[in-house]
Amino acid sequence: MKHNLLKTNIKYFLLLVAVCTTTLSFGQSSKIKKHVIIGYVGGYRGLFDSTMVNPNKLTHINYAFVDVRGNRACLGKIKTDTVNFRNLLKLKKINPDLKILISIGGWGGSKNFSDAVLTDTAREGFAASAVAIVKKYNLDGVDIDWEYPNDIGAGNVFRPEDKHNFTLMFEKLRLHLDTLQKQSGRKMLLTAAVGGFSRFIKLTEMGQASKYLDYVSLMTYDFAQDSLHIVLHHTNLYASKGYQTLCSADMAVRDFEAAGVPADKLVVGVAFYGHTLTAADSAKTILGAQTAAVKVRGGGGGYTFIKDSLINKKGFK
């Protein structure tokens, strides 16, 4: 399943909303719902407009993406990356609880993950390089977006060993982050963006890997697959009762819980963009209709474009 995460369709944010409950102690223990809203800032675009960000509406920002080169994490646009980090840290003056993490990989940047974590020596070097970036720029942690371990992505190297090495990578990163946490006196976070479909679970050890993670962000979008040849929602919350649905946010949450990932670590992904699918017969009901025998999938624009230019206009409903 292809995920163009922050590649072309999202200008600044892909929001992720956590479904979690934590226990806090105020004299006596009481359960208080604590949700997180994680936004991605696309540093690969160069300088970002910090005025687009309301830090009081976010709990975490993942800076996307840090590259994997020569088995090390490295900044791909050092001149603009450093400026972006300074501007992100300014947002913490408005919301001191805001956490800033580097996100490593992404759809187009996961080619070298498998090699970078293939051996213990490689994993040690990779983890050290990632945490060194966090330390240098006074950030709050690391997010891993490997698309995909032990599975095909955008021309990425993959091998069966990825299944266990995926877990070992997080173990090594957690050790280095814990060391930095002791040095800085600040909580260091480790999170991951993962495929929101059942195959991802079979190709990884999510129950074990999640022990090292603070949050597991489910990529519950891009679900409209060309192989089905029907028009579908691509970021649906539930499965449809009217036509075949292979994926949904609800299904992903249930599957990951069954795999051993605690519910209070699961984060549901929400796409602020659409896909374009062409129905073979537009006179009939569109959802669930057969797609035309032409290229049917493409960018459908961002939320603002869809809201202002398409809804109830130009024949769209």
Side-chain angles (χ1 to χ4, degrees):
M1 185 171 297
K2 181 177 179 182
H3 293 277
N4 293 311
L5 181 60
L6 287 168
K7 196 67 179 176
T8 56
N9 292 319
I10 310 173
K11 190 167 185 180
Y12 290 107
F13 288 111
L14 171 66
L15 295 187
L16 300 161
V17 186
V19 205
C20 62
T21 302
T22 57
T23 301
L24 302 178
S25 178
F26 298 95
Q28 293 182 341
S29 295
S30 60
K31 285 191 175 181
I32 296 178
K33 289 184 178 179
K34 183 181 180 183
H35 297 87
V36 300
I37 303 179
I38 306 172
Y40 281 80
V41 165
Y44 58 84
R45 298 177 179 274
L47 294 175
F48 83 98
D49 182 3
S50 60
T51 64
M52 294 284 290
V53 184
N54 184 340
N56 290 317
K57 290 187 176 182
L58 296 166
T59 59
H60 302 70
I61 292 178
N62 289 343
Y63 184 77
F65 288 103
V66 171
D67 297 331
V68 181
R69 299 177 186 172
N71 294 350
R72 299 291 185 271
C74 64
L75 298 176
K77 295 179 178 292
I78 190 69
K79 291 184 178 180
T80 53
D81 287 334
T82 52
V83 175
N84 285 339
F85 285 145
R86 288 199 296 270
N87 288 332
L88 285 170
L89 289 175
K90 289 178 182 177
L91 298 177
K92 298 184 73 168
K93 295 181 180 179
I94 302 172
N95 178 8
D97 293 327
L98 180 66
K99 306 301 180 185
I100 311 295
L101 294 81
I102 54 169
S103 184
I104 305 175
W107 173 248
S110 294
K111 178 180 179 180
N112 300 316
F113 263 122
S114 184
D115 290 340
V117 301
L118 185 58
T119 67
D120 188 66
T121 299
R123 288 188 292 272
E124 173 67 27
F126 172 72
S129 65
V131 177
I133 295 174
V134 173
K135 181 178 181 180
K136 181 175 181 178
Y137 296 100
N138 199 30
L139 307 176
D140 299 295
V142 175
D143 175 68
I144 296 292
D145 183 5
W146 181 351
E147 302 184 35
Y148 299 100
N150 197 16
D151 199 9
I152 192 169
N156 60 306
V157 176
F158 64 97
R159 47 173 66 92
E161 292 87 344
D162 294 342
K163 182 171 185 175
H164 187 51
N165 290 340
F166 187 63
T167 303
L168 296 177
M169 170 189 65
F170 290 123
E171 180 183 33
K172 192 69 71 172
L173 282 165
R174 184 71 269 171
L175 286 171
H176 280 265
L177 286 168
D178 285 348
T179 298
L180 179 56
Q181 182 170 304
K182 292 177 181 178
Q183 294 172 352
S184 65
R186 294 188 296 114
K187 169 67 177 175
M188 290 293 144
L189 300 168
L190 180 57
T191 67
V194 300
F197 44 93
S198 59
R199 189 175 76 257
F200 190 94
I201 296 171
K202 297 176 182 178
L203 298 172
T204 57
E205 304 167 333
M206 282 310 306
Q208 183 65 29
S210 66
K211 294 179 181 179
Y212 304 107
L213 298 168
D214 293 283
Y215 297 111
V216 176
S217 299
L218 304 175
M219 293 190 282
T220 43
Y221 37 81
D222 293 343
F223 283 160
Q225 301 177 71
D226 293 351
S227 59
L228 288 178
H229 300 298
I230 60 175
V231 180
L232 299 172
H233 285 298
H234 87 91
T235 183
N236 47 303
L237 181 58
Y238 293 107
S240 171
K241 295 180 180 179
Y243 49 84
Q244 183 182 12
T245 305
L246 296 182
C247 303
S248 72
D250 176 61
M251 293 163 70
V253 169
R254 293 174 184 272
D255 287 344
F256 275 80
E257 281 190 278
V261 181
D264 61 0
K265 290 187 177 183
L266 288 174
V267 184
V268 173
V270 181
F272 278 11
Y273 62 92
H275 283 294
T276 298
L277 298 168
T278 305
D281 185 352
S282 60
K284 298 180 180 179
T285 301
I286 300 301
L287 284 175
Q290 292 291 312
T291 55
V294 295
K295 183 179 180 181
V296 297
R297 183 174 179 173
Y303 169 75
T304 302
F305 170 76
I306 295 171
K307 177 176 66 71
D308 295 341
S309 303
L310 297 182
I311 295 178
N312 296 324
K313 297 178 182 179
K314 302 178 183 178
F316 288 94
K317 295 182 181 179

